[in-house]
Amino acid sequence: MAFALSGAVAAATVARPGKRPPEPEPELEEARTPCSRTEVANVQGEDEYAEDSSDEEDIRNTVGNVPLEWYDDFPHVGYDLDGRRIYKPLRTRDELDQFLDKMDDPDYWRTVRDRMTGHSMRLTDEQVALVQRLQRGQFGDVSFDPYEPAVDFFSGDLMIHPVTNRPADKRSFIPSLVEKEKVSRMVHAIKMGWIQPRRPRDQSPNFYDLWAQEDPNAVLGRHKMHVPAPKLALPGHSESYNPPPEYLPSEEERLAWEQQEPEERKLSFLPRRFPSLRAVPAYGRFIQERFERCLDLYLCPRQRKMRVNVDPEDLIPKLPRPRDLQPFPTCQALVYRGHNDLVRCLSVSPDGQWLASGSDDGSVRLWEVATARCMRTVPMDGVVKSVAWNPHPTICLVAVAVEDTVLLLNPALGDRLVVGSTDQLLSAFTPPVEPTSQPAHWLEASQEERQGGLRLRIHHGKPVAQVAWHGRGDYLAVVLATPGHTQVLIHQLSRRRSQSPFRRSHGQVQRVAFHPTRPFLLVASQRCVRIYHLLRQELTKKLMPNCKWVSSLAVHPAGDNVICGSYDSKLVWFDMDLSTKPYRVLRHHKKALRAVAFHPRYPLFASGSDDGSVIVCHGMVYNDLLQNPLLVPVKVLKGHALTRDLGVLDVAFHPTQPWVFSSGADGTLRLFT
């Protein structure tokens, strides 16, 4: 057990921590009691076990008045008489124990921890009062009075006898040579004109013309800078005390005037008629109008604004001439007639020889592009929402979205080898032994349906809004018009497997599109376009088109640029290497955009709108990343008639020629070449 030491002995002991203190003499050991602290406790009549514990060692700091910073990096705080280390107390109390002490102990607020001993100490009333005085910025000693009267040791009274009777020095009677040199230098500076004498200040205010010394050849000097104060408008007939009858408001006009906001009223008063000028009362808004007049004078600009004469032609960007950007479609070549209702969708075959269209009359028509002849008409059970021709040149399939089903048709057009290989590809499928649960059901077509061209049915249970093929022709993305995370499904044709790629929904999905070269899926909701990496299964980018409602989506064949159409008549171009914000916003249409499309080979893109027009633009994308894309509108194509406030519903480019197809609400398809 550690014993209490005096300050001097403790300081001497810790000053040389490497040497052990000398062993105490036997007589001193016999004379010393087992514990001096116990004696003190017995003399004072206190409990001898108040600070003693049978199961823990006394860890109080008995090294004396030694700076504890010496032992900040050590686990002990000093040594006892036997040279053993006195270890620091273990801080086993957590915040819960401190909270319980705070709730149970009424003296918790006056309990502090002693750094010397490691124990908690309770402050006395005198110590608490001392701390409170120091916090208030007062003196620690209560008896100290900082405002006691000062003792004036040297009074200002004139004394008869001086304090000292020392005789004056001799140097006080001799002129100073230093002062003589200073005066001579000042006199020389005045003679040379370096120092000017002080002139009396003129107390009268000095007014001068601010622009009198202005250079007439300067920019400001060529303009008349004075601006006269704004004049008050002259009173009219309505302000007369006896206005004409047509200026007096009726009861309805008076009620309408009272219901208007003060800022919206044409007049700040209502005209009234008085029998004579002496009967006119005092004007109630006189002070308010005087104050506003003072504000007009105070806030009136004192300088004319410099107008820059800019030629409006210089503000228009220098774009190349459209004739230099040929080829692009310029005129209407063919009209495909046969549908009885509006044509919602169309799709062109990979070789550009055939055209498929879907209409609200419940039919899908297959046309020959060159002759506008309808080759086949396939009746459907409902409204055709979307048609997509398989982009792979060796697969002859057309996907048709009707109500809650996606139908895969073999139109049997073109090369017979391609038609036969497509049927062989579909018949080579072997169903798995254990069928797995899928979000869609695949059904084979019956023999009668196969004669009509139908090969497969994919039932979803929810209405289908769009169908989009992958570039390789094996995957098919479907958009369902229903809320939830199953709005987008991806079907694999070779394995007849369906999957839902998303776990949660981010709003109503409008359009989907596959990236042409990379494993990306672009999903357009109402306010943004999200790009997902299908292999990593993560969100790559989020494009913000700053539109109210996105209606259509198209991806550039190179894959680095995206265009979006919206119902608020905006076409937004995104450069994904540049930013997630729009690179350019085109407002060429007057009504909502329904469809946008890129040409797979030529630098062209088109947009169809409810105003009945198709606008073709030149969009050159350069391989140099430092050069921005060149966007130039080149042609406005018209031909569709407005029906039920609807115009062009879908557009598509020919895969090899600079031609564009459009389908409209008037039930026709048109080819522009």
Side-chain angles (χ1 to χ4, degrees):
M1 179 174 296
F3 293 88
L5 296 175
S6 64
V9 176
T13 304
V14 184
R16 293 190 299 273
K19 295 183 179 181
R20 295 186 58 183
E23 296 291 336
E25 299 179 1
E27 295 81 8
L28 212 57
E29 285 289 339
E30 295 174 0
R32 186 180 291 117
T33 57
C35 182
S36 60
R37 185 176 57 195
T38 308
E39 280 189 359
V40 176
N42 292 335
V43 171
Q44 295 179 357
E46 297 179 355
D47 186 8
E48 61 179 346
Y49 299 106
E51 297 183 0
D52 194 8
S53 177
S54 59
D55 57 350
E56 72 178 20
E57 185 181 356
D58 189 2
I59 55 174
R60 290 191 304 159
N61 188 355
T62 58
V63 299
N65 189 13
V66 175
L68 294 182
E69 292 80 5
W70 293 357
Y71 298 98
D72 285 344
D73 300 332
F74 298 96
H76 59 283
V77 293
Y79 303 89
D80 58 4
L81 285 178
D82 297 331
R84 292 190 297 270
R85 296 178 178 178
I86 302 177
Y87 288 93
K88 297 178 182 178
L90 296 177
R91 300 300 299 248
T92 59
R93 300 178 62 81
D94 54 3
E95 295 184 2
L96 182 59
D97 295 333
Q98 296 178 6
F99 177 73
L100 294 177
D101 292 344
K102 185 177 181 180
M103 294 293 106
D104 298 338
D105 190 3
D107 293 335
Y108 178 80
W109 64 275
R110 62 164 63 195
T111 305
V112 297
R113 178 175 173 271
D114 189 3
R115 292 188 61 196
M116 294 288 293
T117 62
H119 288 277
S120 300
M121 293 181 56
R122 178 182 176 277
L123 300 180
T124 61
D125 295 339
E126 293 80 6
Q127 293 172 340
V128 172
L130 174 61
V131 172
Q132 292 177 353
R133 286 196 302 273
L134 294 178
Q135 288 179 345
R136 291 194 298 265
Q138 300 176 356
F139 290 92
D141 190 1
V142 185
S143 60
F144 180 75
D145 184 12
Y147 304 107
E148 61 183 4
V151 179
D152 191 6
F153 296 99
F154 300 96
S155 64
D157 300 335
L158 184 62
M159 295 184 295
I160 301 176
H161 302 286
V163 179
T164 60
N165 198 12
R166 182 182 177 184
D169 294 333
K170 182 180 179 181
R171 62 174 176 268
S172 61
F173 299 99
I174 301 175
S176 174
L177 297 178
V178 177
E179 292 181 357
K180 180 181 179 182
E181 292 179 358
K182 287 184 179 180
V183 171
S184 61
R185 284 199 297 269
M186 294 173 66
V187 170
H188 178 68
I190 292 174
K191 289 181 179 180
M192 297 298 295
W194 300 338
I195 298 179
Q196 298 292 337
R198 294 181 181 178
R199 297 177 180 177
R201 294 183 177 179
D202 187 7
Q203 300 298 331
S204 61
N206 185 17
F207 301 102
Y208 60 95
D209 186 3
L210 182 63
W211 314 106
Q213 303 299 327
E214 186 67 33
D215 186 7
N217 297 324
V219 177
L220 296 178
R222 279 180 274 148
H223 298 272
K224 185 179 180 182
M225 304 311 300
H226 175 66
V227 178
K231 297 181 179 180
L232 286 175
L234 297 177
H237 294 291
S238 59
E239 296 177 347
S240 172
Y241 75 95
N242 188 12
E246 60 268 14
Y247 285 92
L248 295 176
S250 61
E251 186 66 20
E252 292 80 6
E253 294 175 346
R254 185 182 64 83
L255 293 176
W257 182 86
E258 292 177 353
Q259 292 177 359
Q260 285 181 340
E261 295 292 334
E263 295 82 7
E264 298 177 356
R265 297 170 180 170
K266 293 183 179 180
L267 295 176
S268 60
F269 63 94
L270 284 177
R272 295 173 57 188
R273 172 175 290 178
F274 298 96
S276 64
L277 192 58
R278 290 175 294 181
V280 178
Y283 185 43
R285 298 188 70 256
F286 176 76
I287 298 179
Q288 177 71 20
E289 290 190 355
R290 291 296 96 188
F291 175 71
E292 293 176 357
R293 173 63 177 169
C294 292
L295 278 183
D296 291 340
L297 296 176
Y298 165 62
L299 297 176
C300 175
R302 289 296 178 260
Q303 181 179 355
R304 295 185 185 275
K305 179 181 286 189
M306 300 295 297
R307 291 187 176 272
V308 181
N309 295 325
V310 179
D311 188 6
E313 298 295 332
D314 296 340
L315 300 178
I316 301 176
K318 301 301 181 182
L319 297 177
R321 294 180 301 176
R323 67 178 64 181
D324 299 335
L325 303 177
Q326 291 179 349
F328 54 84
T330 56
C331 61
Q332 177 178 307
L334 292 174
V335 180
Y336 303 80
R337 302 184 187 273
H339 286 289
N340 301 325
D341 205 342
L342 56 89
V343 185
R344 289 186 178 270
C345 49
L346 60 91
S347 180
V348 190
S349 62
D351 56 359
Q353 187 178 359
W354 313 104
L355 178 67
S357 63
S359 172
D360 278 11
D361 59 4
S363 66
V364 172
R365 290 180 178 264
L366 301 171
W367 313 81
E368 188 177 10
V369 171
T371 61
R373 184 162 62 102
C374 181
M375 305 300 295
R376 290 187 61 184
T377 301
V378 183
M380 297 294 168
D381 298 335
V383 175
V384 180
K385 294 295 184 66
S386 180
V387 172
W389 208 296
N390 194 307
H392 201 278
T394 62
I395 301 176
C396 184
L397 277 181
V398 177
V400 182
V402 180
E403 294 183 351
D404 62 344
T405 309
V406 174
L407 308 177
L408 296 180
L409 304 176
N410 188 345
L413 297 175
D415 193 354
R416 294 183 179 180
L417 296 177
V418 176
V419 174
S421 63
T422 302
D423 289 338
Q424 292 179 3
L425 176 65
L426 296 178
S427 61
F429 169 74
T430 57
V433 179
E434 297 181 359
T436 58
S437 61
Q438 300 186 87
H441 300 286
W442 295 70
L443 299 176
E444 289 279 355
S446 62
Q447 191 64 29
E448 297 179 358
E449 293 174 341
R450 292 182 67 87
Q451 293 178 0
L454 182 61
R455 296 295 182 266
L456 287 174
R457 290 176 178 268
I458 309 176
H459 286 279
H460 300 84
K462 299 171 184 177
V464 181
Q466 186 209 355
V467 178
W469 286 98
H470 188 266
R472 296 184 179 178
D474 191 25
Y475 288 93
L476 182 69
V478 174
V479 177
L480 304 181
T482 176
H485 67 282
T486 58
Q487 297 182 69
V488 180
L489 297 180
I490 297 179
H491 306 303
Q492 187 176 5
L493 182 62
S494 60
R495 301 176 62 181
R496 297 188 186 180
R497 189 178 62 175
S498 304
Q499 57 181 337
S500 176
F502 303 118
R503 297 178 182 175
R504 57 195 181 99
S505 173
H506 293 283
Q508 187 67 32
V509 177
Q510 304 297 316
R511 288 281 170 175
V512 296
F514 285 102
H515 196 278
T517 57
R518 304 184 66 181
F520 289 161
L521 179 66
L522 287 82
V523 180
S525 59
Q526 293 182 1
R527 303 300 295 269
C528 64
V529 178
R530 288 178 169 85
I531 304 176
Y532 295 94
H533 198 292
L534 295 176
L535 297 181
R536 301 176 185 171
Q537 298 180 2
E538 64 182 9
L539 177 65
T540 303
K541 284 185 180 181
K542 182 179 178 182
L543 307 179
M544 303 301 296
N546 195 17
C547 299
K548 294 181 180 179
W549 197 311
V550 176
S551 62
S552 51
L553 175 70
V555 188
H556 193 269
D560 294 334
N561 296 270
V562 176
I563 56 174
C564 296
S566 67
Y567 289 118
D568 51 351
S569 65
K570 292 180 184 178
L571 189 144
V572 183
W573 179 292
F574 286 99
D575 189 347
M576 292 191 291
D577 293 336
L578 188 63
S579 172
T580 58
K581 300 296 179 62
Y583 163 69
R584 190 70 57 82
V585 178
L586 306 179
R587 298 179 177 88
H588 299 147
H589 288 284
K590 298 179 180 179
K591 292 186 179 180
L593 270 75
R594 294 285 176 175
V596 293
F598 273 110
H599 198 286
R601 294 188 180 183
Y602 291 94
L604 298 173
F605 65 95
S607 59
S609 172
D610 281 343
D611 56 7
S613 65
V614 177
I615 295 182
V616 180
C617 299
H618 176 87
M620 174 60 74
V621 177
Y622 300 95
N623 294 327
D624 186 6
L625 296 178
L626 298 179
Q627 192 168 2
N628 294 328
L630 175 64
L631 308 182
V632 182
V634 292
K635 191 65 178 179
V636 179
L637 304 173
K638 294 183 179 181
H640 288 279
L642 298 182
T643 305
R644 289 177 285 181
D645 290 336
L646 297 176
V648 179
L649 299 181
D650 199 2
V651 294
F653 278 100
H654 194 276
T656 57
Q657 299 294 332
W659 301 346
V660 65
F661 300 90
S662 65
S663 64
D666 54 357
T668 63
L669 292 92
R670 298 174 188 267
L671 169 63
F672 298 94
T673 61

